[in-house]
Amino acid sequence: MDISIIIVNYNTPKLTVEAIESILKSKTKYSYEIIVVDNHSSDDSVRILKGKFPNIVVIENKQNVGFSKANNQAIKLSKGRYILLLNSDTIVREDTIEKMIEFMDKNKKVGASGCKVILPNGELDWACHRGFPTPEASFYYLVGLARLFPRSRRFNQYHLGYMNLNEPHPIDCLVGAFMMVRREVIEQVGLLDEEFFMYGEDIDWCYRIKQAGWEIYYCPFTSIIHYKGASSKKKPFKIVYEFHRAMFLFHKKHYARKYPFIVNYFVYMGITAKFMLSAIINTFRKIGG
């Protein structure tokens, strides 16, 4: 088996069906399997997926175990030389699987790679092209300096806007919406960290992959569509909470020991303040809706 494509579904049967159909339309000489993990959807997701795609593997969870653990369940069952994490709200091109495997086969030092991820409005999903969120990079991003100086190597350390987005090149971090990883890499660095419930697991995995000496590449010669921006801006409190908890976990795990107390203090205070502001804004959106 060349590649195992893993999709986590949670109450998104229509999107998941469209994602799978885009895979099945792929023109590729490589063998693949599709594994869907349903995180205890409250709708008819499992029935729909099993009925429409009898040849794929569907894992039915009895509770929502989170994105990391659900992917790990599938990775343990997978058989591919490569593992592809693919969001349920994505559409792959006909050549995406073919070109990405060809790239990985030719570049043995690359441990993980991702293609260009495009939003429905045609803009780049910058999450597919990132540096690590160091305290400095995060500060420049949060205060808006990265946006004011998108071509600055210093101020845009997070989204790396100074790089050529139309040429393949190494970066720090991919996005879990599309992330292809070698089997050998997973055997070396381990599975996704299940402490991250639904955010931050991709950054953490990329950090560990690079620490182990592997390269991570952004490959814009093919792309996918990510319907990330199509969902409502009204988010459940748990989504807002987990997003900010992931920031805290990542810093504590990888950076806290490298920085003095005062830096860590301001990082944690910044995360807390951002979380409170986001929660307040989200509450008013719900009231306004």
Side-chain angles (χ1 to χ4, degrees):
M1 186 71 66
D2 290 305
I3 187 166
S4 300
I5 303 170
I6 298 171
I7 301 173
V8 177
N9 177 80
Y10 181 66
N11 293 324
T12 57
K14 184 177 183 296
L15 289 171
T16 304
V17 165
E18 290 174 354
I20 294 171
E21 287 177 339
S22 73
I23 297 168
L24 298 177
K25 292 175 183 175
S26 295
K27 295 179 180 178
T28 178
K29 61 180 176 288
Y30 297 105
S31 59
Y32 63 86
E33 63 178 349
I34 301 172
I35 305 174
V36 176
V37 185
D38 183 77
N39 253 340
H40 195 50
S41 295
S42 57
D43 56 19
D44 290 334
S45 286
V46 172
R47 180 186 62 79
I48 292 169
L49 293 169
K50 285 186 172 181
K52 200 164 184 65
F53 308 108
N55 294 324
I56 71 171
V57 177
V58 178
I59 300 172
E60 300 178 58
N61 284 333
K62 301 303 179 186
Q63 59 180 336
N64 186 349
V65 298
F67 187 77
S68 298
K69 188 169 185 177
N71 275 297
N72 286 345
Q73 288 176 284
I75 292 171
K76 291 173 185 176
L77 293 177
S78 65
K79 303 168 186 173
R81 296 187 293 122
Y82 298 108
I83 305 298
L84 173 62
L85 304 190
L86 185 69
N87 264 27
S88 62
D89 58 349
T90 60
I91 300 292
V92 302
R93 308 287 189 189
E94 288 185 346
D95 67 352
T96 301
I97 295 170
E98 179 88 0
K99 286 189 173 181
M100 292 302 297
I101 294 178
E102 284 180 350
F103 174 82
M104 294 292 282
D105 281 349
K106 290 176 183 176
N107 297 275
K108 303 297 185 181
K109 293 182 179 180
V110 177
S113 63
C115 65
K116 180 180 283 189
V117 180
I118 304 296
L119 298 172
N121 62 6
E123 295 180 0
L124 181 74
D125 181 355
W126 282 98
C128 74
H129 188 267
R130 292 181 286 181
F132 289 125
T134 63
E136 183 182 7
S138 300
F139 174 76
Y140 293 144
Y141 177 73
L142 289 173
V143 301
L145 286 172
R147 192 162 47 252
L148 285 174
F149 304 101
R151 299 294 181 184
S152 169
R153 186 178 291 269
R154 178 179 182 182
F155 293 135
N156 205 347
Q157 297 175 37
Y158 185 52
H159 282 149
L160 310 173
Y162 54 87
M163 292 183 168
N164 186 347
L165 295 173
N166 296 314
E167 294 289 337
H169 53 258
I171 58 173
D172 286 337
C173 186
L174 304 166
V175 64
F178 186 100
M179 187 173 179
M180 187 179 291
V181 187
R182 288 186 191 277
R183 172 76 61 181
E184 304 97 292
V185 169
I186 299 173
E187 290 171 351
Q188 181 179 351
V189 307
L191 298 168
L192 292 162
D193 186 344
E194 295 178 8
E195 277 293 302
F196 296 88
F197 186 81
M198 62 182 302
Y199 290 105
E201 73 293 318
D202 46 8
I203 304 177
D204 172 77
W205 218 17
C206 286
Y207 191 91
R208 287 153 51 203
I209 289 169
K210 291 203 75 172
Q211 288 291 102
W214 294 90
E215 293 181 339
I216 293 175
Y217 253 75
Y218 163 78
C219 304
F221 45 72
T222 186
S223 64
I224 65 167
I225 299 172
H226 187 197
Y227 288 103
K228 174 182 180 180
S231 59
S232 171
K233 291 183 178 179
K234 300 171 188 175
K235 300 174 182 177
F237 177 80
K238 184 169 178 60
I239 300 290
V240 177
Y241 169 75
E242 290 295 344
F243 180 80
H244 292 86
R245 188 176 78 93
M247 294 182 190
F248 178 90
L249 286 175
F250 183 85
H251 182 86
K252 181 180 179 182
K253 181 177 180 179
H254 296 296
Y255 289 143
R257 286 170 292 180
K258 300 179 181 180
Y259 289 91
F261 169 81
I262 191 65
V263 173
N264 292 326
Y265 173 80
F266 280 112
V267 167
Y268 296 141
M269 288 300 99
I271 293 171
T272 302
K274 186 177 179 302
F275 164 64
M276 293 175 67
L277 180 62
S278 297
I280 292 169
I281 291 172
N282 194 58
T283 299
F284 277 107
R285 280 177 178 159
K286 287 181 178 179
I287 295 172

